[in-house]
Amino acid sequence: MADALGRPGSDGAVPLNLYRVSRPGMSRVIGNERLTPEGYEDVRHVTLDLSGLKYRYLEGQSIGVLPPGVDENGRPQKLRLYSFASSRMGDDGSGRTTSLCVKRVVLPEAETGGVFRGVASNFLCDLRLGETVLIPAGRTFLLPDDPASNLILMATGTGIAPFRAFLRRIYGELPGWTGQVRLYFGVRTRAECLYRHELESYRAWPGYDVVYAHSREERTESGERVYVHHRMAERMDEAWSLLNQSTTYLYICGIKGMEDRIDGVLAEKARAEGRDWDLLREDWIDAGRYHCETY
Ligand code: NAP
């Protein structure tokens, strides 16, 4: 089924592999906006025009970006995946654009004393007006169809991208999402909180709440940096009662390792409830109710 603009529905008609590395589609950059203040890490909202392409995507899918040039071995650069940060309709509602949330990777190199620059992230962050190459991929991180579904969304940093797309879809484009939505968002500082204005605006919906973990500005009672799993632990009774409903879906996106800590607090709760977390999580994965995309 398609929606009013002919975009694919979330009924399983997921568009996959319309374009490949060997047969890439070209998009035009129509926006590149810095999301973080000067003096902090450079995170950008890059908007692409997909006009002329058969490209279709759903919230939660990723796009392949093929940086130009060759790697250190003289081979063509490999594609890198980024989650769509817009809903299928694009930020302008035309259904012909998409946007990505990209952090410029620049890391000090201890051995050389120089810096490592991430190839794809620097390519994207430096784009002005030009072309990039697209490959659709990823199928598992999709929204459930039923608008009565509850969503628990756990994000760190640019891992907010697919959740921004989810929220724009469910509150901006669908007729009415009645399920509960809890967003836990971990960022270093308040100043670096990506899309805060948008995330706050959904508070007008009765079923929505967002909780932040500002790791470099807040501490737990035992003096640790505050992360999303700490925030979940503080609200565990509510989270647990939601998670035990068959209509609740848990999504984790962002930094590798965050899922272990989230599993840790959930395992602790499961133990206290006399349940086996590993079995429970397996059931949730089988039922499509536990999704994790961390890199
Ligand atoms: P970041 O700014 O380095 O970190 C975001 C927050 O996560 C910080 O508050 C950080 O705390 C915290 N954090 C660090 N380790 C954690 C852990 N084990 N558990 C919970 N929180 C933790 O994040 P980023 O550079 O934006 O990186 C986001 C990650 O998401 C990247 O690995 C990226 O590949 C991945 N991702 C991106 C996309 C996309 O479309 N762009 C999609 C999916 C996944 P401290 O640093 O203060 O300790």
Side-chain angles (χ1 to χ4, degrees):
M1 235 168 65
D3 62 20
L5 258 183
R7 298 296 87 97
S10 50
D11 56 355
V14 181
L16 284 173
N17 300 322
L18 284 170
Y19 295 91
R20 297 166 187 278
V21 172
S22 57
R23 187 161 42 89
M26 304 291 272
S27 73
R28 200 166 54 88
V29 178
I30 53 171
N32 185 346
E33 190 191 319
R34 185 168 171 146
L35 295 171
T36 44
E38 290 298 331
Y40 293 90
E41 298 219 40
D42 184 7
V43 182
R44 293 185 173 256
H45 187 72
V46 177
T47 307
L48 304 174
D49 183 356
L50 306 176
S51 302
L53 297 175
K54 289 197 197 114
Y55 211 94
R56 298 288 178 268
Y57 64 92
L58 299 179
E59 304 76 23
Q61 281 192 289
S62 328
I63 191 169
V65 172
L66 206 55
V70 292
D71 65 17
E72 60 280 6
N73 299 313
R75 297 197 196 97
Q77 290 290 349
K78 292 203 181 69
L79 96 162
R80 318 295 210 280
L81 293 180
Y82 287 85
S83 302
F84 292 106
S86 62
S87 73
R88 69 191 74 183
M89 303 309 295
D91 291 346
D92 61 359
S94 69
R96 296 277 173 265
T97 67
T98 190
S99 45
L100 312 178
C101 180
V102 186
K103 177 164 164 181
R104 186 188 294 280
V105 175
V106 182
L107 299 170
E109 270 184 337
E111 316 88 70
T112 61
V115 289
F116 165 80
R117 288 181 192 279
V119 174
S121 71
N122 279 277
F123 165 64
L124 287 169
C125 287
D126 288 335
L127 282 171
R128 287 185 182 276
L129 192 141
E131 295 165 332
T132 187
V133 184
L134 323 172
I135 317 285
R139 199 190 157 121
T140 57
F141 212 77
L142 299 175
L143 271 173
D145 290 328
D146 184 356
S149 307
N150 305 311
L151 310 177
I152 299 188
L153 312 174
M154 315 283 298
T156 50
T158 56
I160 192 69
F163 301 147
R164 175 180 185 262
F166 282 8
L167 294 170
R168 288 178 76 89
R169 180 71 185 160
I170 66 178
Y171 292 130
E173 296 168 10
L174 291 176
W177 193 271
T178 55
Q180 298 291 309
V181 179
R182 299 290 178 273
L183 170 63
Y184 294 86
F185 187 20
V187 286
R188 294 179 185 180
T189 62
R190 283 175 183 78
E192 288 166 286
C193 183
L194 312 170
Y195 308 111
R196 184 190 286 270
H197 184 69
E198 248 179 80
L199 305 179
E200 285 293 314
S201 73
Y202 300 120
R203 287 193 190 275
W205 290 82
Y208 172 83
D209 196 14
V210 51
V211 184
Y212 303 98
H214 301 112
S215 58
R216 308 270 169 116
E217 291 177 343
E218 298 172 291
R219 286 279 181 272
T220 63
E221 274 176 16
S222 54
E224 290 170 81
R225 288 178 179 175
V226 172
Y227 288 161
V228 281
H229 67 279
H230 293 120
R231 292 288 183 237
M232 179 181 244
E234 288 164 7
R235 291 160 182 76
M236 186 50 87
D237 285 344
E238 191 211 36
W240 190 251
S241 103
L242 276 177
L243 283 167
N244 279 288
Q245 295 173 28
S246 61
T247 49
T248 300
Y249 295 74
L250 174 65
Y251 296 86
I252 302 170
C253 189
I255 284 188
K256 187 101 211 136
M258 66 183 286
E259 66 276 31
D260 299 338
R261 301 190 183 206
I262 293 166
D263 280 355
V265 294
L266 288 170
E268 198 180 315
K269 178 66 175 173
R271 249 192 322 275
E273 298 286 327
R275 313 276 295 273
D276 181 324
W277 166 244
D278 289 333
L279 293 178
L280 214 48
R281 187 182 50 183
E282 236 168 75
D283 286 349
W284 292 353
I285 291 172
D286 289 347
R289 294 179 46 222
Y290 180 107
H291 300 272
C292 177
E293 260 188 31
T294 55
Y295 312 114

